[in-house]
Amino acid sequence: MLVSSEIQEKLWKFTTNSSYSTTYLLKPIERGKKIDLRSYFPPEISNLVLELGSGWGEVAIELAKSQPNTGFLLMEKKINRIIATEKLRENANLKNIRYMTVNFQWFFSELLEKELFDTVIINFPDPWPKRKHHKNRLMTEPMLTQISELLKPGGKILFATDHGPYARKTISLFRKNKNFFWKEAEYSFTRPNFPTSYFESEKKGEGKRIYYLERIKK
């Protein structure tokens, strides 16, 4: 979806201006200028994971606990969710989590270096079920291209949704994109040994089928 440069500037100001402050929240101040992400993490960090739409942070917190040498960048547009996640991080005394409130559907590729991440996680993005709203979905051909550029060769993208039509559309997008491949199956209804968010547990409790996709960058 194309918008004017004026609207983009307004979106930029809206998504980067926040009264909330913590040393773990990264605030880019210039559009298009890449940030040195590794400089914000302790020197022992060897791998980087990006979560787009981290919600209340339950998944990232559990992963960060079990992977102390991995740095996790959480991009979440809703500041109240960042604040809640920061409380969990502080209580667990984790040093390997950072946040950004930038609207990643517009700006994240402008700020992050290419081939930076080992894994990109996308859990339960808004499915925008009405056809007229499909243009607002996160998973699109241009977004997959951007994610591919951010991943290292051999890096993974993990995707989950409880919305069947969105899952099928995402599978179709992956089939068209030659930068990714799958190993064991195109999708699965289980994801063993991976943290479960409150939202995911709730959907499972309602009897919803969860679609899990994993792709590897060539």
Side-chain angles (χ1 to χ4, degrees), residues 35-53:
I35 64 171
D36 182 6
L37 184 60
R38 288 191 176 277
S39 69
Y40 291 97
F41 285 98
E44 63 270 18
I45 295 299
S46 56
N47 300 317
L48 291 173
V49 172
L50 172 65
E51 183 172 11
L52 298 177

Side-chain angles (χ1 to χ4, degrees), residues 187-194 200 204 210-213:
Y187 63 92
S188 175
F189 296 126
T190 61
R191 187 161 63 180
N193 305 315
F194 198 85
E200 184 176 354
K204 287 181 177 179
I210 311 297
Y211 297 80
Y212 301 102
L213 281 64

Side-chain angles (χ1 to χ4, degrees), residues 23 26 70 75 94 149 161 168 176 200:
T23 56
L26 311 185
T70 296
M75 282 193 169
L94 296 171
E149 291 175 348
T161 181
R168 291 188 286 274
K176 294 176 184 177
E200 184 176 354

Side-chain angles (χ1 to χ4, degrees), residues 14-198:
F14 179 77
T15 57
T16 56
N17 292 338
S18 171
S19 58
Y20 178 68
S21 180
T22 168
T23 56
Y24 293 86
L25 177 63
L26 311 185
K27 292 187 177 182
I29 57 176
E30 183 179 341
R31 276 196 64 189
K33 184 175 182 179
K34 306 290 186 181
I35 64 171
D36 182 6
L37 184 60
R38 288 191 176 277
S39 69
Y40 291 97
F41 285 98
E44 63 270 18
I45 295 299
S46 56
N47 300 317
L48 291 173
V49 172
L50 172 65
E51 183 172 11
L52 298 177
S54 55
W56 301 99
E58 310 102 307
V59 170
I61 291 293
E62 291 306 310
L63 289 173
K65 287 179 181 178
S66 63
Q67 302 177 40
N69 292 327
T70 296
F72 293 83
L73 176 61
L74 313 188
M75 282 193 169
E76 172 56 56
K77 291 177 283 188
K78 296 183 179 179
I79 195 63
N80 62 320
R81 295 180 177 180
I82 292 291
I83 294 172
T85 304
E86 171 59 11
K87 290 180 180 178
L88 295 176
R89 185 212 61 78
E90 188 175 23
N91 289 338
N93 194 30
L94 296 171
K95 307 298 183 185
N96 56 336
I97 286 180
R98 298 294 184 273
Y99 317 104
M100 291 180 72
T101 57
V102 171
N103 187 322
F104 47 81
Q105 284 180 267
W106 289 102
F107 305 113
F108 83 130
S109 64
E110 295 185 18
L111 299 170
L112 300 171
E113 297 287 351
K114 293 183 178 180
E115 297 189 355
L116 183 62
F117 296 98
D118 298 87
T119 304
V120 173
I121 300 171
I122 303 173
N123 278 330
F124 303 95
D126 193 331
W128 294 98
K130 293 183 179 179
R131 182 174 294 276
K132 65 180 180 179
H133 294 149
H134 284 185
K135 62 182 181 293
N136 297 322
R137 285 177 171 176
L138 173 61
M139 299 303 283
T140 62
E141 288 185 25
M143 178 57 71
L144 278 186
T145 297
Q146 291 186 64
I147 291 173
S148 173
E149 291 175 348
L150 292 179
L151 278 170
K152 297 176 182 177
K156 295 180 180 180
I157 177 170
L158 307 178
F159 175 84
T161 181
D162 64 307
H163 191 262
Y166 195 12
R168 291 188 286 274
K169 179 60 178 179
T170 303
I171 291 170
S172 175
L173 289 172
F174 275 122
R175 286 175 177 172
K176 294 176 184 177
N177 192 304
K178 304 305 180 183
N179 294 321
F180 295 98
F181 68 96
W182 50 272
K183 279 190 174 180
E184 297 179 1
E186 277 198 291
Y187 63 92
S188 175
F189 296 126
T190 61
R191 187 161 63 180
N193 305 315
F194 198 85
T196 302
S197 68
Y198 176 81

